[in-house]
């Protein structure tokens, strides 16, 4: 049995999607796959069993059948967080080991999902590095590619992981960074003996969010088109200019949501006419009936939020790094992306699963 | 103090011109043409004589005393002229010249210099950038307006010169009389406050009329306006109010209180009669200037056609005026001369075939009923009615009664001369019955205002000390808002009942707290980053047992973490479930011009949509509190509908007064709101369920 730990050197790099993508391809290639999340940070109760939301999605996505209670033995609820700061909570690592043992039975590969970075978790004495050693896992580091500097972190991870280090998957590479990957990072990693297991391009649909999630995150009220809450938003624009400029700007961007003051009927109309998929009205200002009925006609949900435009934009910026895989079409597209852009032969070879 | 502006013995026009069409020419011409009886000195270095008057090269060359300087020179020369005024001991000036702060930075600099210089010299001035001043009683037209209004008793001041011109032009054909006409321009020295005071003291002015775009000192404005309005009606058209420019506010109060709300509240509190159209400005002014005030709400309507009578009756009803039937004997008297199919009750329809005689008899009969406080006479120009004769009869009767008569002769061509006859005798005629009703209603409201007893202000002493520490602490920590627990303590100090609550960090603590308080309980997230808890699912109510509390703790903390991962969660607050009641919202907000205001409205989650709220400027009097509660459309809900018992309205009033006190005690409060404030049954008081305080500034 091979244990592959999917970790990172920072949070929100796309570990969940990579885990799901790896698992699904492994299954397709004929392996018996398990998934295990030692520490979860997204508490959810499934039939009264406390587990982690991301882990639950992968569990379902891969059609797994291990007992749910073992899927994620330590979930960081507010409760656990408070208690661990007030006094040391004992027995957590034991719980992880036991669950992992049960999950590994009858598996060729168990994918272990890390949380945060491989250095996170020390406050619970459950640091990623420590868990990796306990579970005797090989490690794939997922990096969100944001420029050459990430090489620095990968190097450190390799030093810390030693022989457990399998290689790195560069994720969410936007077109402007293609050259930087090819010209600097690939030759550099080669020289340092680091294998690049995958180069996954950024995909705006995978990075999109449904209007429903958006509304939940922003704590808004939906005023129209409750049946279109599944609309996917890929980009956010701020509507604060003159109408004629605004139309140009809105038209150039696919599947955009426009953030605009609730009293700017002119911008709201032009956004709807130029193909925006959602309006986010700020300042707790409600639009006129004309706007609402137009939105109904064009199937564009309108969300009213309390904060001003800048605060909402700031919130969305934070939000974009921690998108969750909820939507089925997004998941499928994401898995395909992994399958196509990760070098599975190399992984199999390095883990001895195939020669 | 402002006598020289309106009744000077001598005027110098600095910048007088020989060229027709120039402002310096028009002003001089107006002064001469409309018969100013004092001395006039044109000042122009290049002329010996203008319009038959000897001209002087400079002010300093005039040998005599000058009371008023009218300045029309280019902006860069104004300062020099002001200096000369100082040398000539002239203490009053009208600066017509434009090109000051309205034109940019350079202009602003010039204007500041002028203001400072005038202050130094002890000189007062109107303007700059204005049309001038007209006083019909001293026959002084020191303006470049085309025309001179008739002598009358309306004193008009306006921030907009263009509006002055429009009003004047509209007044000319109808010979509507004015006492004074003051174009204020940039108001850089003499302000609305000064003018209101001057008009209040002016014997020739019965009605103060104003057009205002903005004011600089809200508190003093209110103080003066409240005094003036007790003496004379003050009717103001206020423009330039938009809500969209309002700063993004973090809780309800701010979002609802644009500056419009502040002006509206301020005007109500100081007895200003506010109009929203130029038409109403005229309509009201004519009624107030010419007719006595109705001493009660009981009106009679005399009409020669059904439709307009019904419209007028509807309008009366909506305005809160009443149409009572006449005494029986007077109804019988009507029967003696009206056709049997006429309507003898109020509105009294004397039918379409009425002539002047029937109008006269009907009006005399109505006036015999002392209970009638005012009469509206409606006329549709039928073939049989003689408009001219009818108007003469009404005009004659108007002279003999101390009750207001307003007419609405409808139409245009056939009623024109009749309307003029009426107006000449002081009976204003309105195009439509609703306008007449609106005017007489304004007069009745004004009657109530001047007869209202002095406002009573409560002061709640000793409350401040208990809350002082909290505010000082927040200031020391340079915080913008008070924490949940601080809010609790402040409200407690001011005597607000609040639900019993205990803080918990874990679900075990929460269960223990719930046990202590007693089920059922409410759970609320406590985090400094979360202001509107229920928006993000941070509130659960009616938790009935241990299991529900545990689940709620998990749900709330998880949800918040998910939505706002950067928010720090202190824990949760376990509160007793309060008894049922009506939810209202109450708050303090701060207006840049008028200072703190108190807001009141129906609460709950629909407050932003309904926007059914009322405002008053602090300090709020007992009467203000009474009125602001009744002003909301949803007030009947507090009274109780469909057999409900009445809510504790007195407790709401008291809470408003306490908040007013709090705003006085702690001026650093930028915004506070209690939402919801739960109002229990009469006698059981109110409970503040949730509240927020934003602080800053001093």
């Amino acid at each position: 049995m091979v244990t592959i730990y999917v970790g990172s050197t920072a949070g929100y790099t796309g570990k969940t999607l990579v885990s799901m993508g790896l698992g699904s391809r492994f299954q397709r290639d004929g392996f018996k796959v398990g998934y295990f999340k030692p520490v979860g940070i997204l508490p959810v109760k499934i039939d009264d069993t406390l587990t982690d939301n991301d882990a639950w999605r992968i569990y379902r996505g891969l059609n797994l059948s291990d007992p749910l209670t073992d899927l994620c033995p330590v979930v960081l609820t507010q409760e656990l967080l408070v208690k661990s700061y007030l006094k040391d909570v004992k027995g957590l690592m034991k719980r992880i080991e036991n669950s992992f043992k049960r999950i590994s039975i009858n598996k060729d590969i168990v994918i272990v999902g890390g949380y945060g970075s491989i250095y996170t978790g020390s406050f619970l004495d459950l640091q990623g590095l420590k868990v990796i050693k306990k579970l005797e896992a090989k490690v794939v580091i997922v990096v969100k590619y944001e420029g050459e500097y990430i090489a620095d972190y990968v190097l450190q991870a390799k030093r810390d992981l030693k022989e457990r280090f399998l290689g790195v998957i560069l994720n969410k590479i936007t077109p402007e960074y293609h050259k930087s990957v090819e010209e600097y990072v690939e030759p550099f990693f080669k020289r340092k003996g680091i294998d690049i297991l995958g180069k996954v391009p950024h995909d705006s649909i995978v990075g999109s969010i449904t209007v429903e999630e958006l509304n939940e995150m922003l704590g808004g009220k939906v005023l129209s088109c409750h049946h279109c809450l599944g609309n996917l938003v890929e980009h956010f624009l701020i509507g604060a200019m003159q109408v004629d400029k605004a139309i140009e700007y809105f038209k150039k961007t696919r599947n955009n949501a426009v953030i605009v003051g609730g009293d700017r009927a002119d911008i709201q109309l032009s956004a709807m006419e130029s193909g925006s998929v959602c309006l986010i009205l700020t300042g707790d200002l409600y639009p006129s009936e004309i706007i609402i009925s137009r939105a109904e006609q064009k199937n564009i949900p309108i969300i009213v939020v309390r904060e001003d435009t800048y605060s909402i934009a700031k919130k969305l910026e934070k939000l974009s790094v921690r998108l969750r895989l909820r939507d089925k079409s997004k998941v499928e597209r994401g898995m395909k992306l992994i399958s196509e852009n990760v070098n599975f032969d190399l992984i199999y070879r390095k883990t001895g699963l195939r020669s | 103090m402002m006598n020289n502006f309106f009744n000077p013995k001598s005027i110098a026009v600095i910048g007088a011109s020989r060229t027709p069409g120039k402002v310096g020419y028009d002003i001089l011409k107006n002064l001469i043409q409309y018969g100013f009886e004092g001395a006039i000195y044109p000042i122009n270095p290049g002329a010996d004589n203008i319009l038959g008057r000897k001209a002087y090269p400079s002010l300093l060359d005039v040998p005599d005393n000058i009371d008023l300087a009218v300045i029309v020179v280019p902006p860069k020369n104004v300062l020099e002229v002001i200096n000369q005024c100082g040398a000539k001991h002239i203490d009053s000036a009208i600066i017509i010249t434009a090109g000051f702060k309205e034109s940019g930075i350079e202009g602003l600099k010039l204007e500041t210099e002028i203001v400072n210089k005038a202050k130094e010299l002890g000189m007062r001035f109107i303007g700059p950038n204005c049309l001038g001043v007209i006083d019909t009683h001293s026959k002084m037209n020191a303006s470049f307006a085309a025309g001179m209004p008739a002598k009358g008793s309306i004193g008009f001041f306006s921030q907009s010169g263009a509006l002055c011109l429009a009003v004047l032009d509209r007044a000319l054909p109808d010979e509507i009389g004015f006492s004074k006409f003051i174009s204020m321009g940039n108001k850089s020295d003499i302000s609305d406050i000064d003018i209101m005071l001057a008009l209040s003291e002016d014997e020739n002015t019965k009605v103060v009329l104003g057009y205002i775009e903005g004011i600089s000192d809200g508190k003093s404005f209110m103080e003066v306006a409240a005094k003036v309005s007790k003496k004379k009606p003050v009717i103001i058209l206020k423009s330039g109010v938009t809500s969209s420019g309002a700063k993004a506010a973090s809780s309800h109060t701010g979002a609802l209180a644009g500056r419009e709300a502040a002006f509206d509240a301020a005007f109500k509190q100081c007895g200003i009669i506010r109009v929203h159209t130029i038409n109403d400005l005229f309509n009201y002014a004519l009624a107030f200037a010419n007719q006595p005030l109705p001493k009660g709400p009981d009106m009679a309507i005399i009409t020669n056609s059904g439709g307009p009578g019904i419209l007028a009756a509807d309008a009366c009803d909506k305005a809160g005026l009443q149409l009572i039937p006449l005494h029986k004997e007077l109804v019988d008297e009507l029967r003696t001369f009206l056709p049997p199919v006429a309507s003898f009750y109020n509105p009294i329809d004397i039918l379409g075939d009425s002539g002047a005689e029937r109008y006269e008899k009907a009006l005399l009969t109505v006036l015999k009923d002392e209970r009638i406080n005012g009469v509206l006479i409606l006329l549709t120009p039928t073939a049989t009615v003689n408009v001219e004769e009818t108007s003469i009869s009404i005009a004659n009767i108007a002279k003999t009664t101390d009750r207001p008569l307003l007419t609405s002769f409808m139409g245009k061509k056939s009623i024109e001369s009749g309307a003029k006859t009426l107006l000449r005798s002081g009976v204003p005629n309105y195009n439509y019955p609703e306008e007449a009703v609106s005017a007489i209603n304004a007069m009745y409201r004004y009657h109530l205002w001047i007869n209202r007893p002095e406002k009573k202000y409560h002061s709640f002493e000793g409350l401040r000390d208990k809350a002082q520490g909290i505010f000082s602490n927040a200031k020391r920590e340079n915080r913008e808002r008070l924490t949940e627990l601080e809010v609790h303590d402040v409200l407690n100090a001011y005597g607000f009942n609040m639900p019993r609550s205990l803080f918990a960090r874990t679900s075990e603590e929460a269960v223990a707290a719930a046990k202590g308080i007693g089920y059922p309980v409410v759970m609320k997230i406590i985090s400094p980053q979360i202001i509107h808890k229920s928006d993000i699912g941070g509130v659960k109510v009616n938790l009935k047992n241990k299991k529900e509390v545990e689940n709620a703790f998990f749900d709330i903390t998880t949800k918040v973490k998910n939505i706002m991962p950067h928010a720090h969660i202190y824990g949760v607050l376990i509160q007793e479930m309060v008894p049922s009641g009506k939810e209202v919202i109450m708050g303090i907000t701060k207006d840049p011009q008028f200072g703190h205001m108190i807001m009141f409205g129906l609460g709950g989650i629909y407050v932003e949509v309904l926007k059914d709220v009322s405002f008053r400027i602090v300090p709020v009097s007992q009467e203000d509190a009474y009125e602001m509660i009744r002003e909301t459309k949803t007030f009947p809900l507090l009274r109780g509908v469909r057999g409900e018992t009445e809510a504790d309205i007195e407790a709401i009033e008291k809470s408003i007064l306490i908040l007013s006190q709090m705003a006085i005690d702690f001026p650093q409060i930028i915004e506070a709101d209690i939402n919801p404030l739960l109002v229990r049954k009469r006698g059981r008081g109110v409970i503040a369920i949730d509240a927020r305080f934003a602080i800053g500034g001093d």
Side-chain angles (χ1 to χ4, degrees):
Chain A
M1 202 257 321
V2 171
T3 308
I4 297 180
Y5 185 99
V6 179
S8 62
T9 55
Y12 308 115
T13 55
K15 293 186 291 291
T16 305
L17 181 66
V18 169
S19 300
M20 202 182 278
L22 292 179
S24 127
R25 173 69 183 266
F26 290 158
Q27 285 177 332
R28 216 160 13 105
D29 289 349
F31 295 102
K32 271 182 269 169
V33 177
Y35 179 80
F36 179 63
K37 179 115 184 163
V39 183
I41 51 166
L42 289 174
V44 66
K45 278 185 179 164
I46 307 293
D47 300 332
D48 232 27
T49 302
L50 177 62
T51 188
D52 175 83
N53 211 354
D54 274 353
W56 164 244
R57 283 181 212 290
I58 294 176
Y59 180 90
R60 253 192 341 188
L62 299 179
N63 281 316
L64 303 178
S65 57
D66 300 298
L68 203 53
T69 41
D70 286 327
L71 176 62
C72 182
V74 178
V75 184
L76 263 183
T77 56
Q78 175 73 12
E79 192 94 41
L80 179 59
L81 205 71
V82 171
K83 282 181 183 163
S84 65
Y85 280 113
L86 296 179
K87 61 175 186 206
D88 288 344
V89 183
K90 300 247 170 10
L92 295 179
M93 188 58 105
K94 197 77 209 149
R95 236 197 271 172
I96 290 173
E97 283 178 84
N98 291 339
S99 287
F100 179 70
K101 239 179 246 161
R102 286 191 286 269
I103 288 221
S104 338
I105 295 168
N106 247 331
K107 301 284 172 9
D108 301 317
I109 308 171
V110 176
I111 298 169
V112 180
Y115 99 92
S117 86
I118 52 172
Y119 304 105
T120 324
S122 300
F123 78 107
L124 288 169
D125 203 19
L126 294 177
Q127 200 198 36
L129 280 174
K130 196 171 168 185
V131 174
I132 288 165
K133 277 180 200 146
K134 265 278 186 290
L135 305 186
E136 297 177 9
K138 300 277 187 193
V139 181
V140 172
I141 293 289
V142 181
V143 173
K144 180 181 170 194
Y145 196 83
E146 287 174 322
E148 303 85 62
Y149 73 90
I150 54 97
D152 207 32
Y153 297 103
V154 176
L155 224 54
Q156 179 61 40
K158 179 176 188 281
R159 217 166 282 146
D160 294 332
L161 291 165
K162 305 194 177 74
E163 77 289 347
R164 300 196 176 283
F165 183 63
L166 275 182
V168 59
I169 292 178
L170 303 178
N171 195 16
K172 304 186 196 176
I173 307 169
T174 50
E176 60 267 32
Y177 280 126
H178 282 165
K179 268 219 150 5
S180 141
V181 172
E182 276 168 29
E183 287 185 10
Y184 303 127
V185 177
E186 284 192 322
F188 177 79
F189 279 175
K190 199 165 194 177
R191 215 162 67 234
K192 300 289 173 189
I194 294 171
D195 283 321
I196 296 179
L197 304 174
K199 291 186 286 178
V200 185
H202 171 77
D203 184 285
S204 62
I205 292 182
V206 175
S208 67
I209 181 170
T210 64
V211 173
E212 187 171 12
E213 289 171 283
L214 195 59
N215 182 51
E216 199 185 305
M217 303 274 177
L218 298 178
K221 282 182 204 152
V222 176
L223 295 190
S224 64
C225 296
H226 293 264
H227 60 286
C228 304
L229 299 185
N231 281 5
L232 286 177
V233 177
E234 291 179 47
H235 303 277
F236 295 99
L237 302 174
I238 290 182
M241 63 286 275
Q242 283 178 329
V243 171
D244 43 352
K245 283 269 171 218
I247 291 174
E248 283 303 304
Y249 175 61
F250 298 153
K251 274 191 173 154
K252 283 180 202 153
T253 317
R254 192 176 53 181
N255 291 335
N256 67 67
V258 173
I259 311 165
V260 57
D263 52 348
R264 290 292 303 270
D266 52 341
I267 298 285
Q268 293 158 18
L269 277 176
S270 44
M272 287 193 283
E273 298 311 319
S274 4
S276 298
V277 294
C278 174
L279 294 183
I280 303 170
L281 308 189
T282 57
D284 215 7
L285 296 166
Y286 285 72
S288 65
E289 282 305 316
I290 298 172
I291 302 284
I292 295 179
S293 48
R294 188 75 189 131
E296 286 287 351
Q297 258 174 10
K298 303 208 73 165
N299 290 328
I300 300 171
I302 295 179
I303 300 175
V304 172
V305 294
R306 209 182 285 276
E307 288 103 320
D308 59 282
T309 301
Y310 175 68
S311 306
I312 289 296
K314 230 166 50 178
K315 257 193 179 177
L316 290 174
E317 179 130 351
K318 281 182 186 163
L319 169 148
S320 66
V321 298
R322 51 183 196 94
L323 284 176
R324 301 292 173 193
L325 280 175
R326 282 211 218 170
D327 189 73
K328 196 163 174 248
S329 62
K330 266 166 61 178
V331 171
E332 275 164 13
R333 194 178 166 102
M335 293 204 287
K336 189 160 167 261
L337 210 61
I338 299 298
S339 183
E340 282 169 4
N341 294 288
V342 170
N343 186 343
F344 282 88
D345 289 338
L346 186 57
I347 294 179
Y348 291 146
R349 222 171 36 242
K350 290 198 72 165
T351 51
L353 284 163
R354 280 182 192 165
S355 47
Chain B
M1 163 215 126
M2 293 188 62
N3 194 43
N4 279 347
F5 282 99
F6 302 118
N7 198 9
K9 289 191 195 65
S10 52
I11 301 177
V13 180
I14 303 101
S17 164
R18 278 173 298 190
T19 321
K22 283 202 157 183
V23 173
Y25 175 88
D26 290 339
I27 290 177
L28 190 65
K29 185 165 157 273
N30 275 350
L31 277 171
I32 297 167
Q33 182 182 342
Y34 294 111
F36 178 65
E37 285 158 353
I40 302 173
Y41 304 99
I43 309 293
N44 180 335
D48 299 329
N49 183 304
I50 306 175
L51 285 163
R53 305 281 169 137
K54 177 177 166 40
Y56 296 84
S58 117
L59 257 185
L60 301 176
D61 298 312
V62 179
D64 309 307
N65 252 352
I66 294 166
D67 287 342
L68 176 66
V70 179
I71 302 171
V72 214
V73 298
K76 59 180 192 317
N77 301 339
V78 172
L79 187 64
E80 166 63 19
V81 174
I82 297 284
N83 272 319
Q84 292 174 359
C85 286
K88 279 290 288 175
H89 306 291
I90 299 172
D91 63 2
S92 306
I94 301 167
I95 306 176
I96 306 282
T97 311
F100 290 93
K101 77 172 169 207
E102 78 281 3
S103 68
I105 297 274
E106 278 306 307
L108 176 65
K109 247 167 69 189
L110 279 176
E111 190 167 318
T112 313
E113 282 171 9
I114 290 167
V115 170
N116 291 339
K117 179 51 81 181
K119 212 169 263 167
E120 186 190 316
L121 296 170
M123 186 179 160
R124 304 298 311 267
F125 67 88
I126 291 175
N129 185 28
C130 74
L131 185 74
V133 173
I134 298 174
D135 187 313
T136 56
H137 293 265
S138 65
K139 296 187 201 162
M140 180 193 82
N141 186 340
S143 80
F144 61 96
M148 174 89 165
K151 206 185 246 188
S153 57
I154 302 170
F156 178 62
F157 67 97
S158 167
Q159 188 165 356
S160 149
L163 200 86
C164 275
L165 290 172
V167 165
L168 180 58
D169 201 53
R170 160 80 176 74
L172 285 176
D174 287 344
E175 297 163 35
I176 297 169
F178 284 84
S179 56
K180 291 178 169 47
F181 224 90
I182 304 138
S183 162
M184 308 280 298
N186 291 1
K187 300 200 278 196
S188 49
D189 177 34
I190 286 181
S191 67
D192 311 298
I193 298 176
D194 300 313
I195 293 294
M196 273 198 295
L197 277 174
L199 290 175
S200 153
E201 283 157 20
D202 176 33
E203 291 169 1
N204 299 321
T205 300
K206 272 169 67 182
V207 182
V208 179
L209 211 61
Y211 167 76
I212 290 181
E213 283 164 10
I215 55 171
S216 50
D217 181 354
K219 289 274 180 205
S220 320
F221 179 88
M222 282 180 74
E223 208 175 291
V224 169
K227 278 192 196 125
V228 176
S229 71
K230 283 274 176 184
K231 236 167 116 180
K232 297 175 184 180
V234 180
I235 305 169
I236 297 212
L237 176 61
K238 163 78 181 71
S239 71
V241 185
T242 62
S243 60
S244 58
K247 270 199 292 179
S250 60
S251 57
H252 310 293
T253 337
L256 297 177
R259 291 166 56 195
E260 164 68 16
F263 271 100
D264 210 57
F267 281 16
K268 274 179 199 152
Q269 277 168 278
C270 56
I272 289 179
I273 299 151
R274 184 173 183 193
V275 292
H276 296 273
T277 63
I278 302 179
N279 205 34
D280 277 348
L281 193 71
F282 265 104
N283 286 344
Y284 287 19
L286 287 177
F288 276 99
N290 295 301
Q291 289 289 309
L293 295 177
K295 300 203 167 44
D298 296 325
M299 302 294 154
I301 296 169
I302 300 173
T303 176
N304 68 342
S305 54
I310 299 166
L311 283 175
D314 277 344
C316 283
D317 201 60
K318 273 188 209 150
L321 301 173
Q322 291 157 14
L323 301 177
I324 52 166
L326 299 187
H327 279 306
K328 172 135 190 345
E329 47 279 25
L330 295 173
V331 173
D332 291 342
E333 189 177 319
L334 288 174
R335 282 186 208 279
T336 61
F337 59 87
L338 291 181
V341 289
S343 187
F344 304 103
Y345 300 99
N346 203 355
I348 298 153
D349 185 351
I350 59 174
L351 301 185
D353 60 348
S354 297
E357 195 197 338
R358 220 186 266 171
Y359 265 105
E360 184 178 312
K361 279 185 170 168
L363 180 53
L364 287 171
T365 309
V366 166
L367 287 171
K368 281 184 197 163
D369 193 331
E370 283 85 36
R371 296 171 310 157
I372 298 294
N373 304 115
V375 187
L376 302 174
I377 303 139
L378 315 181
L379 179 146
T380 323
T382 59
T384 46
V385 71
N386 183 325
V387 176
E388 190 59 39
E389 270 178 34
T390 309
S391 51
I392 292 171
S393 302
I394 295 172
N396 286 334
I397 297 171
K399 280 176 201 141
T400 65
T401 176
D402 60 350
R403 283 171 280 175
L405 303 185
L406 268 56
T407 61
S408 175
F409 285 16
M410 281 169 285
K412 177 89 186 157
K413 198 163 158 236
S414 49
I415 61 106
E416 212 163 6
S417 93
K420 242 184 200 156
T421 306
L422 284 166
L423 191 59
R424 239 175 256 137
S425 340
V427 179
N429 182 62
Y430 297 93
N431 292 333
Y432 304 107
E434 302 91 320
E435 293 181 347
V437 172
S438 166
I440 207 161
N441 180 46
M443 292 171 88
Y444 170 59
R445 303 290 149 199
Y446 181 65
H447 163 79
L448 292 179
W449 166 256
I450 50 176
N451 288 294
R452 196 161 128 156
E454 276 290 299
K455 284 189 180 185
K456 281 198 278 301
Y457 292 95
H458 273 272
S459 72
F460 299 88
E461 293 189 1
L463 302 178
R464 183 176 199 284
D465 300 344
K466 287 193 235 166
Q468 180 64 60
I470 297 164
F471 282 97
S472 308
N473 192 39
K475 185 181 165 67
R476 202 163 39 242
E477 290 172 14
N478 204 17
R479 270 187 285 126
E480 290 175 333
R481 51 183 79 251
L482 299 185
T483 66
E484 195 89 14
L485 299 173
E486 286 171 339
V487 168
H488 192 274
D489 290 347
V490 168
L491 289 177
N492 230 340
Y494 276 81
F496 280 94
N497 283 323
M498 304 189 70
R500 280 216 300 144
S501 39
L502 290 169
F503 177 71
R505 288 175 303 188
T506 63
S507 66
E508 284 141 32
E509 287 180 11
V511 169
K515 215 169 191 178
I517 283 170
Y519 291 106
V521 295
V522 176
M523 185 185 291
K524 290 176 183 172
I525 191 83
I526 301 295
S527 158
Q529 282 91 354
I530 298 169
I531 309 171
H532 293 280
K533 305 179 201 44
S534 56
D535 279 6
I536 54 161
V539 180
K540 297 244 176 193
V541 300
N542 202 18
L543 306 173
K544 292 192 279 291
N545 51 45
K546 177 167 181 275
K547 179 83 186 150
E548 287 187 7
V549 168
E550 282 170 352
N551 284 342
F553 185 88
F554 176 80
D555 288 348
I556 285 182
T557 53
T558 305
K559 180 124 196 200
V560 167
K561 229 191 188 131
N562 200 6
I563 293 174
M564 296 184 69
H566 302 278
H568 173 65
I569 300 172
Y570 287 153
V572 295
L573 206 64
I574 303 293
Q575 287 188 331
E576 67 174 309
M577 274 288 282
V578 288
S580 66
K582 297 272 162 57
E583 289 189 357
V584 299
I585 173 173
M586 195 177 282
I588 302 172
T589 177
K590 202 172 190 176
D591 180 80
Q593 276 163 316
F594 293 99
H596 284 105
M597 297 196 280
I598 302 299
M599 187 254 320
F600 167 79
L602 192 78
I605 53 171
Y606 299 116
V607 60
E608 286 96 342
V609 184
L610 295 174
K611 296 200 195 307
D612 184 21
V613 286
S614 58
F615 292 88
R616 288 294 183 280
I617 311 284
V618 168
V620 177
S621 72
Q622 206 169 353
E623 295 79 3
D624 292 330
Y626 179 91
E627 281 171 10
M628 71 188 287
I629 296 170
R630 283 154 184 85
E631 213 170 272
T632 56
K633 293 183 206 78
T634 36
F635 172 66
L637 294 181
L638 294 172
R639 266 275 169 69
V641 285
R642 301 197 176 196
E644 285 176 324
T645 45
E646 192 184 6
D648 199 337
I649 298 168
E650 269 175 40
I652 305 177
E653 280 173 26
K654 189 177 171 205
S655 304
I656 290 175
L657 298 178
I658 289 179
L659 277 190
S660 170
Q661 180 72 50
M662 193 190 288
I664 295 168
D665 291 347
F666 296 103
Q668 62 266 55
I669 297 174
I670 294 175
E671 204 174 275
D673 66 343
I674 304 176
N675 185 22
L677 179 76
L678 195 86
V679 188
R680 303 188 58 200
K681 279 182 203 158
R682 193 168 174 180
R684 302 218 174 146
V686 294
I687 303 173
I689 308 284
D690 205 353
R692 296 173 257 281
F693 276 72
I695 49 171
D698 33 296

